[in-house]
Amino acid sequence: MNNAFIQSVSRMLLPPAFVVAVAVWLKGYAEAGDSFGAGVLAALAILLQYVASGRDAARQLPGVRYAPQVAGVGLLLLLGVTFVPLVFGHAPLSHVPGPGEKVLHLGVVEVYTAVLFDVGISLVVMGFVVTAIDGLLSQRSKTAPPGGGMASPGKER
């Protein structure tokens, strides 16, 4: 099969894959939380770019270049949602608004601090998986003998 065809299809699949990841997060949020699964789906969409286009081309994507920062922002959100309630004298992970209080609705999504927690989990999972895979491929490319190892599918041998 033609590499250009595979690369084109993988690029076309990237935006719908992110939409599916957001849909999984929203559906999971409306019912049972599935932010971890949404993060994994987003990471798999990026990893498809590694497989189809190679590491050099995949690293051009903002989701790959800034994956460590994405994981860091997610971790900061998690820590903030966990420990900011302590500043106001509440227990860690206390959600605002509390039970029985009026909740702001954004479409079907009820906006409260649990949403930030779920966003943080998704960002940490996606950022960590992409960073780990990129790091592993980086080490492999350093240790691969010349002419061997993982070649970029976009480059002819």
Side-chain angles (χ1 to χ4, degrees):
M1 191 166 290
N2 189 349
N3 278 343
F5 176 73
I6 293 171
Q7 291 172 0
S8 297
V9 170
S10 71
R11 274 189 227 117
M12 288 189 308
L13 288 176
L14 189 61
F18 282 130
V19 171
V20 169
V22 170
V24 166
W25 174 74
L26 283 174
K27 182 182 183 306
Y29 177 70
E31 295 171 5
D34 196 16
S35 52
F36 186 88
V40 169
L41 279 174
L44 288 176
I46 292 173
L47 295 179
L48 178 64
Q49 304 306 307
Y50 275 91
V51 172
S53 303
R55 183 173 181 255
D56 295 336
R59 288 185 59 87
Q60 301 300 316
L61 296 170
V64 175
R65 271 183 295 177
Y66 301 113
Q69 290 84 0
V70 167
V73 167
L75 185 59
L76 287 175
L77 279 174
L78 292 175
L79 292 173
V81 170
T82 302
F83 293 112
V84 166
L86 289 173
V87 174
F88 298 103
H90 300 286
L93 288 173
S94 295
H95 294 298
V96 175
E101 296 179 21
K102 185 174 178 162
V103 177
L104 176 67
H105 285 81
L106 190 64
V108 296
V109 176
E110 295 176 343
V111 179
Y112 57 100
T113 52
V115 174
L116 289 177
F117 192 80
D118 282 346
V119 169
I121 289 175
S122 294
L123 293 177
V124 166
V125 169
M126 186 190 90
F128 175 76
V129 169
V130 172
T131 301
I133 296 298
D134 188 63
L136 289 172
L137 290 176
S138 171
Q139 292 301 316
R140 181 182 170 140
S141 66
K142 288 179 184 174
T143 60
M150 186 173 188
S152 176
K155 298 177 183 174
E156 298 295 325
R157 290 186 190 188

